[in-house]
Amino acid sequence: MGTGPRVVIIGAGIVGCSLADELTERGWTDITVLEQGRLFATGGSTSHAPGLVFQTTGNKTMTEFASYTVAKLSGLTLDGAWCFQQLGGLEIATTPLRWADLKRRHGWATSWGVRSYLRTPEQCAQLHPLLDASRVLGGFHIPSDGLAKPLRAAEAQARRAIERGARFLEHQKVTGVSRAKGRVTGVTTETGEFRADVIVSCAGMWGPLIGRLAGLTIPMVPMAHQYAKTNPLPVLRGRNDETTEAGLPILRHQDADLYFREHVDRLGIGAYGHRPMPVDPADIADPRTATGMPSELEFTPEDFEESWAAAGELLPVLRDAKPEEGINGLFSFTPDGMPLLGEHPGLDGFWVAEAVWITHSAGVARAMAQWLVDGQPEQDLHACDLNRFERVQLSPGYVHTRSCRSFVEVYDVLHPLQPPERPRPLRTSPFHERQTELGAYFLESGGWERPHWYAANANLPEVERVPSRGEWASRFWSPIAGAEAIAARSRVAMFDMTPLRRLEVSGPDALAFLQALTTNRLDRKPGTVTYTLLLGEDGGIRSDLTVARLDAERFQVGLNSPLDIDWLRRRLPGDGAVNLREITSGTCCVGLWGPRARDVLQPLSTTDFSHKALGYFKGVETFVGNVPVTALRLSYVGELGWELYTTADLGRLLWDTLWEAGQAHGVLAAGRDAFNSMRLEKGYRAWGADMTTEHDPYEAGLGFAVRMDKGYFIGRDALAGRSPETVTRKLTCLTIADPQSVVLGSEPVFAGGRPAGYVTSAAYGYTTGLNIAYAWLPAGAAVPGTAVEIEYFGERVPAVVAEEPLFDPAMTRVRS
């Protein structure tokens, strides 16, 4: 018998093999890997994948996954044969837009610690002599990228796992998942039962079928992707042999949705430029009975014609060649293009590692092994977590439409604010009709339509005070947004805060439950609101919350994402003494903020809204006009005001009541852009952007929300001995001299001429007149007055470390 819990891994593709290796390396050796096909050419995506490994994305976690994959596979061989060749990666631009984007990608690589270079057309041709340099504007070169042999890498890791005690069984098609009392107990196959304490689905394109056996929606869609090989090319004759296969860098021509790799004397060409070709997992052939590889569908030459023509324009050698063979190879896409990692929300012990590409396979396996063995991974996985989706985002139509869009956008130049086009709208607040009447410009987040500015405010005189900005930062932006921020600071504005997630926590043990999960002291009298944090056991920030104690046994909790609700539900006591009720969809919220907010609100209520009667971070249940509301005196924008909550059926009446009363005080509707600018002027953090599980409260400047003397809470032991004075890095406020250089996040920051950190959130401060960026920097560089530089589209932009907050440091406005 092995050690550790009994683990069954479903699928012996590269993810399942990598996970078995990582788990056994950590001492969990009671591992059974079940494969419905044969070992190790299983018939899944690993069996046909061309093996390209490109590390750079705009997501730090994904880049780190890929970098670990490169490092691990580089050290693997199988019977003396290589598993990874570090040939380098070369992305080329043939349009000005793409060349600008490659400069942005170079910034990402620098932010995440991947060495890379911007290359001239001549340098690109030296690196890849088959290129027509006259068509190239420039290139992005990553020397550590390269070519994996997926089947070799999978088997090499599997052999290591087997040496440590794991077993791999082929021809074991899973037909059932056994459970008892909310936990998995085993897996049933066509040949028998395998007992299990932990099950991990690494089934790839069959993943949704395994999910159904466990009552779980796995939101992904297998897609056919074209890959063709040319006839032998004379120019490649003698360059490679069957052992090396390739010597040129892996080439990507994203302007034409193409990539290229050598196969000895032939070129392999992958294409994303064709129509989406989704496949129902139930229609994929059974690898035990299929005549060929189930993941390889018949090539459709008509879909490849445009790609072939574009390939010949870039690589003239192809003009006298032909695509000799090809496949439509299947692999998986999700609605947001990210993997699906984590535990079933309703069945303990059932885990998922799906929609993982070869590029990220070893990195994902390491993170999953850490999660299982240590209780949580080292990396922030919120963007990959299985439970990140709202329920409305799990409908079959949504998953299909957005996953197809993910395929189309694989190589597109995407702006960070750019929303998908369909299906929209999904979720709208009760104010949506009124916002539309005011000319709201909507962007989407979490399925919600969120106004970013209003055309009705185009004639505000403050528009003239808003500086212009560069082309990239001008997308999905209007100077109207700046005018809304300025006007909100001088008058009063209504912000739609409905998309903020809300939870009611009640019951006799509600206080004790929340106290044990959060960092701040919540045992305050009813009518008090507290800002607090959720931490992991390692002290990393899982989320930040606002907790309003409405009465002795009832709390309203403001959260960040579905992951927070999942975290709380998993920790509920089993005796029914605590109840959780998500109230987001059935309620709505107006943020009424600005120096005249009290002038608007007070005449509408018999409640005393004076500062003395209802101070900052206080709350009350009352009426505004004819509308029952929960009024919380909070301000994420640094102004006097309240978050006013009511039920969804009364939302429009609340809006109309406030709007009518506000006319005499210059009220306006303001959007998300103004909100973001105002919150950065105040230095308020946004979880998931400014801080994640990888940061502790003292590093993030949130030590004030930690009460080490309040008793036990999750993460308390890890924080022992830490303080603002002991940190080695800090979330730091920067101001940028050039008002037009409005950066958008993920850009590298240089201190002393060397890469030192990266930008998290950024915006122009319309009321301070300062261009603001928050960034993670070493503590030694996070000293006010320190000069730094931010790389923005290949250029170094001067910035300086500033004292925070930039606006109203004495807090006189929110406490007025």
Side-chain angles (χ1 to χ4, degrees), residues 506-528:
S506 61
D509 288 350
L511 174 61
F513 172 72
L514 291 171
Q515 281 277 71
L517 291 173
T518 65
T519 60
N520 213 333
R521 184 174 288 111
L522 303 180
D523 54 345
R524 306 167 189 260
K525 63 182 182 181
T528 303

Side-chain angles (χ1 to χ4, degrees), residues 161 192 197 385 628 731:
D197 305 302
D385 197 301
L731 184 61

Side-chain angles (χ1 to χ4, degrees), residues 567-648:
W567 178 263
L568 296 176
R569 279 184 176 148
R570 290 182 190 277
R571 284 153 183 82
L572 279 173
D575 59 4
V578 181
N579 299 301
L580 301 186
R581 184 169 69 95
E582 188 177 359
I583 60 174
T584 309
S585 298
T587 57
C588 58
C589 179
V590 174
L592 182 72
W593 291 311
R596 298 183 189 172
R598 185 177 286 116
D599 299 332
V600 174
L601 187 59
Q602 186 60 78
L604 298 173
S605 180
T606 57
T607 296
D608 186 352
F609 282 102
S610 69
H611 181 65
K612 183 177 180 180
L614 194 68
Y616 193 49
F617 268 78
K618 301 295 182 183
V620 65
E621 293 182 293
T622 184
F623 287 84
V624 172
N626 293 320
V627 181
V629 300
T630 300
L632 305 182
R633 189 166 170 198
L634 307 176
S635 176
Y636 204 48
V637 299
E639 291 293 336
L640 168 67
W642 291 264
E643 293 177 359
L644 301 171
Y645 296 90
T646 191
T647 51

Side-chain angles (χ1 to χ4, degrees), residues 355-366:
V356 180
W357 293 8
I358 304 297
T359 297
H360 309 109
S361 56
V364 163
R366 178 180 64 167

Side-chain angles (χ1 to χ4, degrees), residues 59-97:
N59 182 278
K60 178 174 177 286
T61 298
M62 296 296 281
T63 300
E64 289 172 345
F65 283 164
S67 295
Y68 181 74
T69 301
V70 166
K72 183 177 185 182
L73 300 194
S74 294
L76 288 179
T77 57
L78 184 73
D79 299 328
W82 59 271
C83 292
F84 185 82
Q85 288 196 81
Q86 214 159 64
L87 303 173
L90 179 63
E91 304 176 22
I92 57 96
T94 60
T95 64
L97 175 63

Side-chain angles (χ1 to χ4, degrees), residues 3 171 239-240 332 340 364 432 498 515 528 536 604 658 679 684 705 776:
T3 59
H171 304 312
R239 288 185 62 100
N240 312 301
S332 301
L340 301 168
V364 163
H432 188 263
T498 300
Q515 281 277 71
T528 303
L604 298 173
L658 294 170
R679 70 104 180 164
Y684 292 150
W776 281 101

